[in-house]
Amino acid sequence: MSAVVALDGTVRQITELWTDRKALVCFLRHLGCRMCEKQVKLLNAIKPQLDQLEVALVAISMGTPEEARVFLQQTSFEGEIYLDNDKVQLMDTNEQWSSYFTFKLSAGKHVFQHPQVKVEAEKALQEGNKDRPFLDASKEWAGDPFQLGGIFILGPGNQCDYAFRSEYFGDLPNLGDILHILGGQEDGTFMSEATRQWTDNLAVSKTASAQPRRSVMQSVAEDGGTIFPSLSGDAYAQYSSITSGHAMIGLLTLSIGSYYFQSRGLLASPTESPFSFICHLLIAFFGLLIPLRLRPKSGADPSFEFAAINEADSEGFGQKHEEIEEEEEEAEAELVFYTPKEIDTLSVEHGALACDCSNVIKPTSFTVEVQLDRPRSASQCLLIVCDACKQEQEPTSANSSVKHTCGKITARHRQSEDNPLGAMFGKYQTMLCYVREFLARPHPLVGRKGPTCPFIPSSLKKNCLYLSVVRTNPATVTKSRIAARVMKAFKQFFSLSPTEHPSAQFKAVVLIFPDIPAADAHEYIDEVQAQMKEMFVAEGLMLGEFHLLNNCPGLRNNKFYPLRTPFPSLAIRYMVPTDLAFLALDKYPVALRVKFLTSFLNRFGADDCKEVVQAKAELELAKKLV
């Protein structure tokens, strides 16, 4: 992994510089550069605004600790400074400093060939900046004069809000743009390029054309109104109908059995002796035993069992029985969750952490794919490929020399075979990218200041967002199976860290179902959510439904559909007072609204907030309607 060194000699992984905070990271060319002095002065000028926005100012350069101390003294730089002393070399390119390579910063003699170079160099001198003398006349400044720098805004979860890569010597960004981006994120007026791309890809400003066969509330009513733990609505409905018939069947059996035995003088009336009474009870018991035997097992889809009973051949029965056992095993299996840091770490270790750097102001033609971080040894993550002959070659150390002049070279990620996330690794990365670049960022269509989901930034910062990809078989998937996995997540949720409030308030679990087609998401995601919501609310939790065709509008803008995700998903988190807006909606039957509001007040009734006052009033009104 790329590492940098502090002036006290402490070695830190580069991602540690923004793991728990937002940081403006500036890559300097080298510590004796007039343009670097100019850039530092400009950064010092906006330091008060950065402090107000709680954004750290960090500089990374090549050089020695002694040179860095002199640089700080002479420029009065007010931020932190770190040094990169690690190099990599790729085929026919010159060696490049590790962190500069990681961030796709260009290097080479071409940096002085741009016509604007002379203009910017003279301008910098006129403004009082100068090239610093060498500390030792017999030596040069440590570093590479042909290396260009850049500026990035980075934050927890490797979130990249802004990227500027210099194209030539003297090419500096407009710091006003940076302040606009940082300030705009606070007032909701700015939308980054990455957020804009997600807006288009998810079509969050357009109503989905595909309409479900029935509404969510229709499904709740038709499937029994609620969900039996680990059973879907249809399973619960069949379970209930079977249970209600037990008494009728038992009474019928008792009547027929009693009449048969008494008519033949084999059994006296139940009131004549204790023995006769016990015999009548046994007849009733065996009458009840038959329907009880047919009752579906917890977690099983009863349609399997009834179909098996009606199946003529024994092979069909065995196959259905195996499906039941398979479903029960699924319900018992623990879900495996990964946090953003764990996904990022695996991405680094297996050479798959790439970043489009969101709001790219100055892209470059540099051919090596950017990564926010990578293993310290390039060979752990990259293969170097010639675009002309397609020859693959391992990256080399800085001490060796490899020439390959056939054509342009490109670095691509090595596919690791021991990645524990396996083939689903890309799903985790895509979902995490969506969370960071859409949910955690402001959007003009939300109708208020702050990020699209105000919950997510703190969840990312505290690393208590848990993702789990849940595989399903299209041929055998049922709502009961989806519900069983949700129940498992429900049980595991409370033991996931953090377990103590107030930190636990930001904990969330996201179940990702990539095998469910968007067209089927209403049945398997929306209906399961609607049927299980009552149970979750009663426990002080919220269960949210997300997919590409979700037409639930935003609270402040009915033309904004924020519950769209790249894959069908169900999310669990703790309830907060502002969730009242999702509990008192007119779409719910009055009786269900009463239950929701009662659970809400059980959790927040003692709080002094406007939502509690509103909930009490709405509960009284709902009770009158009932």
Side-chain angles (χ1 to χ4, degrees):
M1 183 181 291
S2 297
V4 291
V5 183
L7 297 190
D8 62 1
T10 303
V11 178
R12 302 183 65 180
Q13 304 301 333
I14 193 169
T15 52
E16 294 178 18
L17 302 182
W18 57 83
T19 298
D20 300 312
R21 61 181 182 175
K22 182 164 288 188
L24 187 156
V25 181
C26 174
F27 287 85
L28 302 173
R29 291 184 63 248
H30 65 82
L31 297 173
C33 168
R34 74 181 76 168
M35 296 308 303
C36 294
E37 180 180 352
K38 176 179 179 177
Q39 189 164 34
V40 162
K41 289 179 180 178
L42 294 173
L43 292 173
N44 280 343
I46 67 169
K47 182 68 162 56
Q49 291 97 314
L50 295 177
D51 291 341
Q52 185 177 4
L53 294 168
E54 298 183 346
V55 178
L57 178 57
V58 176
I60 296 176
S61 180
M62 298 156 283
T64 66
E66 183 183 4
E67 291 169 345
R69 293 187 185 94
V70 173
F71 179 82
L72 291 176
Q73 181 181 2
Q74 294 177 340
T75 62
S76 301
F77 179 55
E78 299 177 13
E80 306 167 20
I81 190 166
Y82 298 87
L83 303 172
D84 183 351
N85 294 321
D86 187 24
K87 296 181 181 180
V88 293
Q89 182 173 346
L90 303 175
M91 280 189 167
D92 55 353
T93 64
N94 292 322
E95 61 189 23
Q96 188 176 16
W97 303 90
S98 177
S99 62
Y100 290 75
F101 168 83
T102 295
F103 278 84
K104 198 179 180 182
L105 296 171
S106 187
K109 295 182 180 180
H110 68 279
V111 304
F112 291 106
Q113 296 172 355
H114 194 282
Q116 194 66 20
V117 170
K118 185 176 181 180
V119 176
E120 296 296 338
E122 292 179 354
K123 184 178 178 180
L125 286 176
Q126 293 172 2
E127 293 171 347
N129 305 292
K130 56 184 178 180
D131 294 326
R132 298 291 169 185
F134 301 136
L135 297 180
D136 185 340
S138 63
K139 298 180 179 179
E140 294 183 354
W141 284 90
D144 181 1
F146 300 110
Q147 174 66 62
L148 292 181
I151 286 183
F152 300 82
I153 299 175
L154 302 159
N158 279 347
Q159 182 178 336
C160 180
D161 292 332
Y162 173 90
F164 178 96
R165 299 178 178 87
S166 296
E167 295 181 353
Y168 56 86
F169 174 75
D171 185 22
L172 302 180
N174 184 334
L175 298 186
D177 292 341
I178 294 176
L179 291 178
H180 172 69
I181 290 174
L182 291 171
Q185 290 191 2
E186 298 299 323
D187 62 22
T189 59
F190 174 80
M191 182 165 61
S192 73
E193 182 60 31
T195 305
R196 192 183 311 278
Q197 291 175 8
W198 279 111
T199 298
D200 294 339
N201 292 340
L202 300 175
V204 296
S205 61
K206 301 177 182 178
T207 304
S209 58
Q211 297 298 322
R213 292 184 296 275
R214 56 179 181 170
S215 70
V216 171
M217 295 320 301
Q218 282 178 325
S219 72
V220 173
E222 294 170 8
D223 291 343
T226 184
I227 190 163
F228 189 81
S230 79
L231 287 179
S232 68
D234 51 357
Y236 182 80
Q238 295 185 50
Y239 178 94
S240 301
S241 64
I242 296 169
T243 304
S244 62
H246 290 163
M248 293 297 296
I249 297 175
L251 289 174
L252 181 62
T253 305
L254 175 62
S255 301
I256 296 174
S258 298
Y259 174 79
Y260 176 82
F261 287 110
Q262 289 186 56
S263 63
R264 285 163 173 73
L266 300 176
L267 185 65
S269 170
T271 59
E272 293 185 7
S273 69
F275 175 77
S276 297
F277 179 75
I278 293 174
C279 289
H280 281 276
L281 284 181
L282 288 174
I283 294 173
F285 171 76
F286 283 108
L288 285 169
L289 185 63
I290 296 174
L292 281 173
R293 176 64 185 87
L294 302 181
R295 188 179 64 178
K297 301 177 181 179
S298 177
D301 186 338
S303 61
F304 284 155
E305 196 109 19
F306 287 112
I309 293 173
N310 295 325
E311 186 68 51
D313 59 36
S314 59
E315 182 178 356
F317 178 86
Q319 181 179 357
K320 296 293 182 180
H321 192 69
E322 289 174 3
E323 290 177 355
I324 296 173
E325 293 179 347
E326 177 186 350
E327 187 170 344
E328 291 176 338
E329 291 176 2
E330 289 178 359
E332 293 300 321
E334 292 290 314
L335 293 167
V336 179
F337 295 103
Y338 293 90
T339 66
K341 286 185 179 179
E342 289 172 330
I343 295 172
D344 288 342
T345 298
L346 289 169
S347 299
V348 172
E349 292 175 351
H350 299 280
L353 180 57
C355 176
D356 59 8
C357 286
S358 306
N359 192 44
V360 179
I361 302 302
K362 284 283 185 90
T364 75
S365 59
F366 194 54
T367 60
V368 178
E369 184 174 339
V370 64
Q371 305 163 73
L372 274 184
D373 212 332
R374 62 179 187 82
R376 191 172 182 82
S377 170
S379 62
Q380 295 179 21
C381 70
L382 296 176
L383 286 174
I384 308 307
V385 185
C386 172
D387 292 345
C389 69
K390 305 304 180 184
Q391 174 186 337
E392 294 184 355
Q393 185 165 340
E394 302 285 345
T396 63
S397 67
N399 298 324
S400 63
S401 177
V402 177
K403 299 296 182 181
H404 188 86
T405 58
C406 177
K408 185 175 67 175
I409 64 167
T410 304
R412 69 171 173 80
H413 297 310
R414 180 195 306 276
Q415 297 299 318
S416 177
E417 297 180 355
D418 58 347
N419 190 326
L421 301 184
M424 290 294 100
F425 187 57
K427 310 299 183 185
Y428 283 96
Q429 287 187 305
T430 299
M431 199 66 179
L432 192 53
C433 181
Y434 154 80
V435 168
R436 289 169 174 164
E437 296 189 339
F438 183 80
L439 288 185
R441 295 188 177 177
H443 199 294
L445 293 178
V446 173
R448 57 161 171 74
K449 297 180 180 180
T452 299
C453 176
F455 175 89
I456 286 295
S458 295
S459 184
L460 286 172
K461 185 175 183 179
K462 297 177 182 295
N463 196 43
C464 56
L465 176 67
Y466 294 87
L467 306 182
S468 181
V469 170
V470 181
R471 305 304 307 270
T472 55
N473 186 338
T476 60
V477 63
T478 62
K479 287 188 291 184
S480 63
R481 287 189 169 182
I482 300 298
R485 306 314 285 149
V486 176
M487 281 299 300
K488 179 59 66 174
F490 167 79
K491 295 175 182 178
Q492 292 180 235
F493 177 85
F494 299 100
S495 61
L496 295 172
S497 178
T499 57
E500 300 293 332
H501 288 278
S503 295
Q505 191 68 43
F506 299 101
K507 177 170 59 178
V509 160
V510 180
L511 302 181
I512 307 164
F513 298 90
D515 302 312
I516 295 179
D520 296 336
H522 179 76
E523 178 180 358
Y524 296 116
I525 299 298
D526 293 349
E527 293 186 9
V528 168
Q529 185 270 348
Q531 293 159 352
M532 300 188 76
K533 183 172 182 176
E534 180 185 339
M535 181 195 71
F536 276 79
V537 171
E539 296 295 331
L541 301 176
M542 296 296 289
L543 178 66
E545 76 285 10
F546 304 85
H547 54 85
L548 276 174
L549 301 181
N550 192 312
N551 278 331
C552 292
L555 294 176
R556 298 168 180 82
N557 183 356
N558 60 7
K559 299 298 183 182
F560 178 52
Y561 305 98
L563 304 186
R564 304 266 175 88
T565 49
F567 310 110
S569 304
L570 288 164
I572 303 170
R573 62 171 174 82
Y574 278 107
M575 187 192 302
V576 295
T578 52
D579 285 325
L580 177 63
F582 304 107
L583 302 178
L585 298 178
D586 292 337
K587 73 175 184 179
Y588 294 116
V590 177
L592 190 55
R593 267 187 283 166
V594 169
K595 293 180 180 180
F596 284 163
L597 292 168
T598 300
S599 297
F600 178 87
L601 291 173
N602 287 341
R603 183 169 180 80
F604 301 111
D607 294 358
D608 183 18
C609 62
K610 62 180 182 180
E611 288 84 4
V612 170
V613 175
Q614 180 182 348
K616 290 179 179 178
E618 293 194 10
L619 179 59
E620 291 301 317
L621 178 61
K623 286 182 177 179
K624 292 178 181 179
L625 294 176
V626 171

